[in-house]
Amino acid sequence: MKPKQLVEKWVAVFNSGDAEALADFYHDDAVNHQVANEPINGKNAILKMFQDEFAQADMTCIVENIFEDGEWGILEWKDPLGLRGCGFFHVIDGKIKLQRGYWDKLSFLKQHNLPIE
């Protein structure tokens, strides 16, 4: 699967809130680094991250653009509350090896009435 196709499918699964199906997109030794947080290492830890996040907040990813450059899928997104961000997905052999995301954590916490760290 090409990176752009993978990101399109990833978004659909993300929006369904299915953490286990989402974790299946990752290599066993993948890294997910949402730069507002510490990097998450390994598929099992990524699964737990998504389970925790889906339990905390109702999240929806609205695609603005998806680009592809070689082994990379690039997602520009927004959510219904106005938060915007982008994600970079390094796809090797049809699975995500590295994901890096950029978004405003403070705005996210305020929008979802979550405690500010």
Side-chain angles (χ1 to χ4, degrees):
M1 183 177 344
K2 295 283 220 171
K4 184 175 182 180
Q5 294 169 309
L6 185 140
V7 172
E8 290 168 345
K9 290 182 182 205
W10 183 95
V11 168
V13 173
F14 179 90
N15 286 340
S16 77
D18 186 341
E20 287 188 25
L22 204 53
D24 286 339
F25 283 91
Y26 295 84
H27 283 276
D28 289 341
D29 62 347
V31 175
N32 185 316
H33 187 194
Q34 302 303 303
V35 298
N37 301 318
E38 292 297 315
I40 304 297
N41 297 296
K43 182 178 179 175
N44 291 334
I46 291 169
L47 168 62
K48 183 175 179 344
M49 175 196 72
F50 283 123
Q51 288 170 330
D52 292 347
E53 289 178 352
F54 290 147
Q56 278 187 331
D58 182 23
M59 298 181 290
T60 301
C61 177
I62 300 167
V63 173
E64 293 202 303
N65 289 296
I66 299 177
F67 304 100
E68 181 176 296
D69 184 15
E71 295 180 329
W72 289 86
I74 301 106
L75 169 65
E76 182 183 18
W77 58 268
K78 64 182 178 181
D79 75 3
L81 301 175
L83 186 67
R84 294 182 179 276
C86 60
F88 296 82
F89 299 76
H90 189 196
V91 177
I92 298 175
D93 297 326
K95 291 203 176 236
I96 301 166
K97 188 72 167 177
L98 169 68
Q99 179 183 354
R100 193 176 307 114
Y102 299 89
W103 46 277
D104 181 355
K105 184 174 182 177
L106 180 59
S107 293
F108 176 84
L109 294 172
K110 287 180 177 179
Q111 288 172 339
H112 293 279
N113 296 314
L114 295 170
I116 296 172
E117 301 167 356

